[in-house]
Amino acid sequence: MGESLMLGDRLRVARKTRGLSAAQLAQRVAVSPSLIQKLESGARKATPSLILSLARALHFGPEVLTG
C-alpha cells in the first residue's frame, strides 16, 4: 500500500504542476475523475498502461510517477 501512496502523491504533484484539475486529467486519459482521486489517495493501484497514459497526458516520463 505504501507504493500506491507514493504514486498517488507523485501523481497529485505532477497534475498540479501542469495546472490541471483531477477532472481535466481524467478527461485527457479517458477515465473518471473519481479514478484519479482514488489513485491520488492510494485507494486504487494503477496498471502499467494507465501509468503510461497518465504520464503522456501530463507530458512527463513514466519514471516521474513511479520513481
Side-chain angles (χ1 to χ4, degrees):
M1 184 142 142
E3 182 179 319
S4 295
L5 292 176
M6 286 178 33
L7 173 72
D9 292 337
R10 290 175 184 193
L11 177 58
R12 185 179 304 106
V13 169
R15 175 177 61 77
K16 289 184 176 186
T17 297
R18 294 296 188 225
L20 296 172
S21 68
Q24 289 170 319
L25 177 57
Q27 185 177 20
R28 288 184 179 196
V29 184
V31 299
S32 69
S34 66
L35 177 58
I36 300 297
Q37 293 165 348
K38 288 176 183 176
L39 291 169
E40 290 183 351
S41 71
R44 284 279 304 265
K45 290 179 91 173
T47 63
S49 62
L50 180 55
I51 292 171
L52 185 57
S53 295
L54 290 165
R56 286 180 179 159
L58 292 165
H59 304 288
F60 285 117
E63 67 279 357
V64 170
L65 299 178
T66 60

